[in-house]
Amino acid sequence: MATNQIVSKQPVERLKRVVVRFAGDSGDGMQITGDRFTATAAAIGNDLSTLPDFPAEIRAPAGTLPGVSAFQIHFSSEDIITPGDEPDVLVAMNPAALKVNVRDLKPNGWLIVNLDSFAPKDLEKAGYATNPLEDRSLDAYRVLPIAITKLTKEALKDVKITQKEKDRCKNFFALGLMYYLYNRSMDNTILWLKTKFKNKPEFIEANTLALKAGYALGDATEIFQVTYEVPPAQLAPGKYRNINGNSALAIGFVAAAQKAGLRLFLGSYPITPASDVLHELSGYKNYNVITFQAEDEIAAVGAALGASFTGALGLTTTSGPGLALKSETIGLAVMAELPLVVVDIQRAGPSTGMPTKTEQADLLQAIFGRHGESPVVVLAPQTPSDCFAMAFEAARLAITHMLPVILLSDGYLANGSEPWLLPNAADLPAIVPGFRTDPEGFEPYMRDPKTLARPWVRPGTPGMQHRIGGLEKEDGSGNVSYDPENHEHMVHVRAEKVARIADDIPTIEVRGPQSGEMLVLGWGSTFGAISSAVTDLAAKGIVVSQAHVRYLNPLPKNLGEVLRRFRRVLVPEMNSGQLAMILRARYLIDIVSYSKVQGQPFKRREIMARIEKELGVGR
C-alpha cells in the first residue's frame, strides 16, 4: 500500500480519477484545505492538477457571492493535464459557495454542505429566496447536510483558544471527512500542522482534533455507503515535487542564472497574480539572487535594466497593467540592446478588471505594445511545470541574443499545480554570456555575424567605455545618430535580430495526423484542455490534430507550412482572438477563432463541443 493510503471498513470502490472542489468564504481556509489535500495526493503518488479560484475583493462581505473562494483538485492513477471539468464532490461551506459552484457538480455527485451556515440571513446574503436544502432544487445530487461548525466546536471544547479560532478550524473537519471518503491517511497533514504552528501548540491541537473529528464522523456514522480509492499513477521514474507555475518560474530563473554564471536581479512591484514570484525568489539569496521591491512598476523595470547593464541577469515580474507601465523602459532595452526578461502573468482586464481571474489578453500588448518599432521576443509556457523550462529559455534567449524577452504566463498557470519531474542540472542547455573584455577593435554595436547580438560589456572594463541610452545609435560605433538612413537600417537590424531567433528555437510539432481536416492550435494555458479534448474525441472515433505554440515572436519557422496542410485551423484563446488575428495577417489563412473571456480557463468539454460543431458531428 502506498504511503498515506489507507483502506476503510466500508466497501471500497477503486476509481481511476476524481475531481474534488472545496468552496467557502475567503476566510474559511479553502485554499489551505485544497493545498493539504493536494499534498497528500502527491505523497501517495497520484498524478494531479489543481485550480485555485480566489475572490477579487480583499475583504468581500462574508457570505456573499463575490467573497467565494474555491480550490479544485483533479487526482488520478493515470496521466492528467487539466484540473477537471465537473467535480465529483463539492464541499460548500455556505449558501454563497453552493450557489456559485453547484452548477458545475456532476449529476449524482456528492454535495456536502455546512448545515450551520444555512440560516435565513445566510440564504439572504447569497440571494436565495428559499432554502435549497428543502426546496428539492438539489435532487440531482447526493446531498449530505452536516453541522460542520457545531461538530468542530464540540471536538474542540477543551482546547484553550477563542470561539472564533475554533470556528476557523472547520475547514480541517471537512478535510478529515474527505480523507475518510478517499481512504487517505491524515499523517502528512498532521506533520504539516506541527511544522506550521510549531510555536503555537494550541493551534496544532485544535486543527488536529478537527481533522480527526471529520474523519471519525465518516468512520463512525457510515454516512457514505461506499468509500473510494485512487491508486498511485505510473509516472516516469525520477524525483518529483508538486509545483505551481509561479514557483516553477522562480526556480527556472535561478537555474538559468546559475548556468550562465550570473547574478540574478529581480526588480518587482507587487501585483496579483505575480507577487509570489517575488516572494519565492527572495528565499534564494544563497544562489546569488537579489530581490528589490520597488516603489512602482516603472522603478522596478528600470532597476532590472540597470542590473542588466552591470552584467547581471535583469528580471522584472508583473501583470497586464504593470506591463503597460513598463513599456517605455522595455523600449529602452530594445534600443540599448541589453538582455532583460519581463514576466507578465496575465489576468482579466482592462484596468484592474478581475485581478484574481485568468486571461490571455496581453498577447498583442506583448508583441506590439510599445512606441516606435520595438520588436521583442515573446514566449508562453503551457503548463505549471513548463513554467520552469520557459523561464530558463527566456533567460537563455535574452542573454544569447542581447535583447528583451517577454514571458506570458497567466493566473491559471501561476496558481495551478502539478507533479514536476526534477531535471538533471547537467542536462540543461548551456548559457554563455557574450562578455567582451578585449578593447582591441572594440565597437559597442559591433555584431555577431550569426545572431546580430552586440557585445555585453561590464561598466568599468578598461578601454571599453561607451554611450548608453535611448537615443538612436549609429551601427557599429554606437554614437548618437540622427541620420535617416542609419535609423531605418537600425530598425531593420533590430527586427532581423528577433527574426533570426527562429533558427534557435524548435519547430512546431503536430500531434496526430500530419495533415487533414482540422488542426486545433493553442498557446499558453489552453494546452491541457485542448489535449484532453483531442484525446477524448479520438476515443469516440473523431480524429483531429493538435499543435501548441510556445514561441509567439518569432513564430516557429515551419508554422505556416504546417497550417496550410489542414483544411481548417481552430484556435481557442482566452481573449477575443488575438493569436488568430496574427496568424491571419501573417499567413493569409482563414483561421477559425474560438474565444472565451470569462476569467475562467477552458473546459475540456467546451473544446470538444466546438470541434464537433465545426466538423458537423456529434450532434
Side-chain angles (χ1 to χ4, degrees):
M1 190 64 63
T3 303
N4 284 296
Q5 186 93 34
I6 61 176
V7 179
S8 76
K9 62 187 180 184
Q10 292 289 96
V12 178
E13 180 179 341
R14 177 169 285 203
L15 301 174
K16 290 182 178 179
R17 57 182 63 192
V18 171
V19 179
V20 174
R21 185 182 298 178
F22 299 94
D25 263 330
S26 57
D28 283 341
M30 295 296 95
Q31 302 305 318
I32 292 176
T33 308
D35 182 70
R36 289 302 90 208
F37 196 96
T38 299
T40 297
I44 288 171
N46 296 135
D47 196 8
L48 59 91
S49 179
T50 69
L51 177 61
D53 190 12
F54 307 95
E57 287 78 5
I58 295 175
R59 289 186 178 86
T64 64
L65 304 185
V68 173
S69 176
F71 189 107
Q72 181 163 305
I73 173 174
H74 185 189
F75 59 105
S76 174
S77 60
E78 302 175 327
D79 180 47
I80 54 173
I81 47 179
T82 76
D85 283 4
E86 299 115 348
D88 298 284
V89 179
L90 171 62
V91 179
M93 301 299 281
N94 61 25
L98 174 66
K99 190 169 191 178
V100 169
N101 292 281
V102 71
R103 60 189 175 189
D104 293 332
L105 184 61
K106 285 182 179 178
N108 205 39
W110 287 107
L111 175 57
I112 299 168
V113 298
N114 181 11
L115 183 62
D116 296 322
S117 65
F118 276 72
K121 63 177 182 179
D122 302 311
L123 296 169
E124 183 181 354
K125 287 180 183 178
Y128 277 114
T130 59
N131 190 335
L133 302 179
E134 300 171 352
D135 63 10
R136 304 187 63 84
S137 61
L138 302 177
D139 282 357
Y141 314 109
R142 290 180 282 180
V143 183
L144 285 178
I146 300 173
I148 294 177
T149 303
K150 177 184 176 181
L151 292 171
T152 301
K153 290 180 178 179
E154 287 180 0
L156 307 185
K157 61 184 178 182
D158 296 326
V159 182
K160 298 186 183 309
I161 59 175
T162 66
Q163 287 300 316
K164 186 175 183 180
E165 289 168 338
K166 290 178 181 179
D167 183 65
R168 287 177 177 171
C169 295
K170 62 182 180 289
N171 61 325
F172 275 82
F173 185 100
L175 180 60
L177 188 60
M178 287 297 97
Y179 281 166
Y180 174 79
L181 181 59
Y182 290 103
N183 289 289
R184 317 253 113 168
S185 168
M186 296 177 282
D187 292 348
N188 192 63
T189 299
I190 293 171
L191 179 62
W192 177 85
L193 286 168
K194 290 177 179 177
T195 304
K196 174 75 172 176
F197 299 112
K198 60 183 178 181
N199 297 321
K200 297 180 179 179
E202 67 277 13
F203 288 175
I204 297 173
E205 180 186 11
N207 285 286
T208 301
L209 285 173
L211 182 73
K212 291 180 176 180
Y215 191 98
L217 177 71
D219 191 37
T221 62
E222 299 184 359
I223 54 176
F224 301 109
Q225 294 77 35
V226 64
T227 62
Y228 305 98
E229 177 190 357
V230 180
Q234 299 302 310
L235 302 174
K239 186 175 183 179
Y240 288 83
R241 61 164 284 187
N242 187 47
I243 199 166
N244 65 36
N246 277 351
S247 294
L249 286 175
I251 298 171
F253 288 123
V254 173
Q258 289 287 302
K259 200 75 174 180
L262 299 176
R263 170 173 287 170
L264 175 62
F265 179 94
L266 170 65
S268 186
Y269 180 74
I271 184 172
T272 301
S275 300
D276 283 342
V277 181
L278 171 62
H279 303 157
E280 184 91 13
L281 280 174
S282 67
Y284 288 100
K285 294 181 175 65
N286 292 340
Y287 290 89
N288 206 14
V289 175
I290 295 176
T291 52
F292 167 58
Q293 182 173 318
E295 65 268 28
D296 56 41
E297 296 281 5
I298 298 171
V301 68
L305 183 57
S308 293
F309 174 60
T310 69
L313 172 56
L315 167 68
T316 188
T317 53
T318 191
S319 191
L323 183 63
L325 291 168
K326 295 179 191 292
S327 62
E328 183 178 3
T329 304
I330 297 171
L332 176 58
V334 172
M335 178 64 76
E337 298 188 40
L338 287 169
L340 174 70
V341 179
V342 181
V343 179
D344 173 12
I345 302 177
Q346 301 164 95
R347 69 189 203 186
S351 187
T352 309
M354 298 192 295
T356 60
K357 309 303 178 183
T358 195
E359 204 162 86
Q360 290 181 296
D362 294 349
L363 177 58
L364 294 180
Q365 180 183 199
I367 296 179
F368 303 113
R370 290 161 300 282
H371 65 283
E373 298 285 348
S374 302
V376 300
V377 177
V378 180
L379 312 178
Q382 60 189 26
T383 65
S385 61
D386 189 46
C387 287
F388 171 87
M390 295 311 283
F392 190 97
E393 180 74 339
R396 183 187 73 85
L397 293 176
I399 292 168
T400 304
H401 297 270
M402 292 292 288
L403 41 61
V405 175
I406 296 178
L407 183 60
L408 292 176
S409 180
D410 62 44
Y412 171 37
L413 295 181
N415 298 312
S417 63
E418 64 181 1
W420 173 49
L421 177 61
L422 272 63
N424 187 330
D427 295 335
L428 296 174
I431 302 177
V432 182
F435 287 118
R436 174 84 179 219
T437 57
D438 182 7
E440 183 68 29
F442 167 70
E443 287 190 311
Y445 280 76
M446 63 194 305
R447 300 191 180 278
D448 180 287
K450 180 180 179 181
T451 65
L452 299 181
R454 79 176 187 92
W456 197 0
V457 179
R458 288 189 172 99
T461 305
M464 305 185 72
Q465 298 87 345
H466 62 279
R467 296 177 182 87
I468 199 79
L471 292 173
E472 182 62 279
K473 306 294 185 291
E474 181 182 69
D475 202 9
S477 72
N479 293 331
V480 173
S481 173
Y482 291 94
D483 178 73
E485 285 75 20
N486 176 75
H487 173 58
E488 184 166 4
H489 167 72
M490 292 296 283
V491 165
H492 291 310
V493 166
R494 289 187 286 262
E496 177 64 18
K497 188 162 72 160
V498 172
R500 288 192 185 187
I501 290 175
D503 296 324
D504 194 20
I505 62 175
T507 55
I508 198 80
E509 295 184 0
V510 177
R511 173 189 170 213
Q514 299 302 296
S515 62
E517 183 63 36
M518 176 177 282
L519 174 71
V520 186
L521 183 74
W523 70 276
S525 64
T526 59
F527 174 78
I530 293 173
S531 296
S532 298
V534 169
T535 297
D536 288 356
L537 284 172
K540 296 170 59 176
I542 303 170
V543 179
V544 297
S545 302
Q546 176 197 359
H548 212 74
V549 183
R550 295 157 80 218
Y551 298 84
L552 293 153
N553 195 48
L555 290 163
K557 292 175 68 173
N558 67 330
L559 181 58
E561 183 269 328
V562 167
L563 297 179
R564 292 186 181 95
R565 298 203 301 253
F566 294 88
R567 283 183 282 276
R568 270 175 282 195
V569 178
L570 176 68
V571 179
E573 299 180 76
M574 291 185 292
N575 57 44
S576 295
Q578 296 185 15
L579 180 60
M581 180 191 301
I582 291 171
L583 297 178
R584 287 184 188 122
R586 178 74 179 270
Y587 301 113
L588 302 180
I589 294 174
D590 187 17
I591 303 295
V592 179
S593 178
Y594 176 30
S595 294
K596 179 178 181 179
V597 196
Q598 300 175 8
Q600 295 292 328
F602 276 103
K603 291 182 168 64
R604 169 193 54 85
R605 57 180 168 79
E606 292 173 331
I607 293 178
M608 289 179 66
R610 183 56 185 262
I611 293 171
E612 290 176 328
K613 177 182 178 182
E614 293 296 328
L615 295 177
V617 297
R619 295 176 181 174

